[in-house]
Amino acid sequence: MSEASPRLRVRVWRGNAEGGALAEYAVPARANQTVLDVVTHIQREVDPTLAYRFACRVGMCGSCAMVVNGRPRWTCRTHVSRVAKDGALELRPLANLPVIRDLATDMAPFFDKWAKARGSFQPKDAPDGAVPEEFAPGDFAVGDFAVVPPASKQREAADAGIECIGCGVCYAGCDIVAWNPDYLGPAALNRAWTLVNDVRDGGKKDRLAAVAGDAGCHACHSTQSCTAHCPKGIDPSGAIAGLKRGIFWGVR
Amino acid sequence: MNGVQLWAVQRGTAMILAVAVVVHLVTILVAVRGGLSAAEIIGRTQGSWAWLGFYSVFALAAGLHGAIGLRAIAAEWAGWRGRGFDLAWVAIGLLTAAFGIRAAFGLFGA
Ligand code: SF4
Ligand code: SF4
Ligand code: FES
């Protein structure tokens, strides 16, 4: 790092559940720098008390999301060059979630809603989690592996939403979540629709009942903000439309 | 009424309104060509069951569609939620529809 190296002006929200304010930092600008690199620099070189969260740094774990210059993003895969405005960044904790401290939010309400939307797989053929016979000879063996052709229509519908990493970016970008605290939100509903399309799953009826109504898919206005923000290119808005249709026609 | 039924009614009334609004506007445009008099209007509407039927359906669809939409806005922006508000919205929707149907009936029986 030379003396004359260009600097980024980075404003970071510092505070806790009671409130906070923006603090300004100068961070050396580098080529191919991600927003997460910038936050890490501040924490390591400037102020070790800065709280934030990350794990994988390669877009898999879903823990690094923040609001960057007004938009929710995954910071480990967001290049500064793509989002900085005149060398300036403004970083805030993910919206629509309680703040723990600084850039770290409490994701509990987000994942509680996954559970409410019945977001866990309910194996049809082995409800108690039994292992197929040939792999577990003995008294407790039940059933066999399901054969699911990857090119079948239902599997393609399930695959469309399965790569969700639970980052909460869509949840932070949805106005309805902000206006209706009970609303399950795009990620939980996308998960529910993914499982509804999974032919191996046996919990569809319960799940469709759990996601209907004013706190569920019927609260969505199909504005597609979630779809526009999802870093994985998932379309939760389309998934929610699928749930609405599925519930109306009573399919599957 | 639950969310599924409200959604179905909102979708259904939207389809009706899409057609009805077009018919309504085209009728106005056609009717006003070459001037319009009260006698001319009543001449067309009086005793016309087709006209009364069309505007009754139109008014009912508009009343319900509007009330369901306002219900969502009130819940999101003002936090007005719950059974009491839902009943109020049903009443508001039906009342709005009743005004429209009453007006149509007035011209039908004029
Ligand atoms: S489409 Fe629905 S879930 Fe997605 S941002 Fe809009 S209201 Fe929220
Ligand atoms: S749907 Fe996309 S934006 Fe939403 S939690 Fe999953 S990966 Fe993140
Ligand atoms: S750190 Fe894992 S997705 Fe960004």
Side-chain angles (χ1 to χ4, degrees):
Chain A
M1 199 195 325
S2 78
E3 293 282 334
S5 69
R7 304 241 143 191
L8 295 165
R9 280 169 296 115
V10 187
R11 307 210 299 155
V12 179
W13 192 91
R14 305 292 309 266
N16 54 31
E18 266 95 66
L22 290 167
E24 189 150 344
Y25 303 93
V27 176
R30 297 208 173 94
N32 300 322
Q33 186 177 30
T34 66
V35 174
L36 185 64
D37 292 336
V38 168
V39 179
T40 301
H41 175 92
I42 296 171
Q43 203 258 355
R44 292 206 181 146
E45 312 291 337
V46 188
D47 184 351
T49 67
L50 175 66
Y52 68 113
R53 201 189 279 121
F54 75 96
C56 71
R57 295 177 297 142
V58 290
M60 291 177 73
C61 71
S63 62
C64 66
M66 300 167 199
V67 174
V68 182
N69 283 358
R71 276 182 76 115
R73 295 180 182 279
W74 54 359
T75 54
C76 70
R77 299 210 47 195
T78 300
H79 279 262
V80 170
S81 57
R82 211 154 50 83
V83 292
K85 287 194 187 83
D86 304 321
L89 282 177
E90 188 182 290
L91 308 177
R92 290 172 181 271
L94 212 48
N96 295 341
L97 288 162
V99 174
I100 298 173
R101 191 158 64 83
D102 303 337
L103 298 170
T105 51
D106 181 1
M107 299 292 283
F110 176 77
F111 288 112
D112 286 349
K113 288 177 179 180
W114 276 60
K116 267 197 194 151
R118 303 277 203 280
S120 60
F121 176 52
Q122 307 290 322
K124 201 191 276 172
D125 303 322
D128 48 4
V131 178
E133 209 156 347
E134 63 261 50
F135 298 96
D139 292 342
F140 57 90
V142 193
D144 202 349
F145 280 122
V147 178
V148 184
S152 61
K153 233 182 131 204
Q154 285 238 301
R155 191 59 227 173
E156 281 180 351
D159 283 343
I162 205 146
E163 295 290 346
C164 171
I165 56 172
C167 62
V169 163
C170 55
Y171 188 83
C174 173
D175 285 335
I176 307 303
V177 173
W179 294 333
N180 181 356
D182 291 334
Y183 178 42
L184 295 173
L189 293 172
N190 173 72
R191 176 65 184 160
W193 179 237
T194 301
L195 289 174
V196 165
N197 283 305
D198 192 325
V199 293
R200 305 163 305 152
D201 185 276
K204 295 180 190 8
K205 251 185 100 182
D206 263 10
R207 192 172 293 113
L208 287 176
V211 301
D214 283 339
C217 63
H218 294 102
C220 166
H221 292 322
S222 310
T223 54
Q224 301 185 4
S225 175
C226 49
T227 300
H229 285 95
C230 175
K232 298 287 291 180
I234 291 168
D235 177 18
S237 182
I240 295 167
L243 285 173
K244 288 176 181 170
R245 279 193 306 273
I247 290 168
F248 180 72
W249 296 109
V251 291
R252 300 172 187 118
Chain B
M1 269 212 173
N2 61 31
V4 190
Q5 289 160 337
L6 286 172
W7 176 80
V9 171
Q10 197 67 341
R11 280 291 163 100
T13 52
M15 288 181 216
I16 294 171
L17 287 173
V19 178
V21 168
V22 171
V23 172
H24 177 64
L25 290 177
V26 169
T27 308
I28 292 173
L29 291 176
V30 172
V32 297
R33 283 169 64 187
L36 197 60
S37 69
E40 220 183 312
I41 296 174
I42 290 172
R44 265 197 301 268
T45 63
Q46 200 174 35
S48 166
W49 284 100
W51 187 83
L52 179 66
F54 173 77
Y55 274 98
S56 297
V57 171
F58 189 177
L60 189 62
L64 293 177
H65 193 86
I68 294 171
L70 289 172
R71 173 185 176 273
I73 295 172
E76 285 160 12
W77 290 17
W80 294 358
R81 299 190 172 90
R83 194 145 180 83
F85 284 111
D86 282 356
L87 291 174
W89 287 119
V90 171
I92 289 169
L94 292 178
L95 198 69
T96 322
F99 283 137
I101 294 170
R102 207 208 143 274
F105 196 77
L107 284 167
F108 172 82

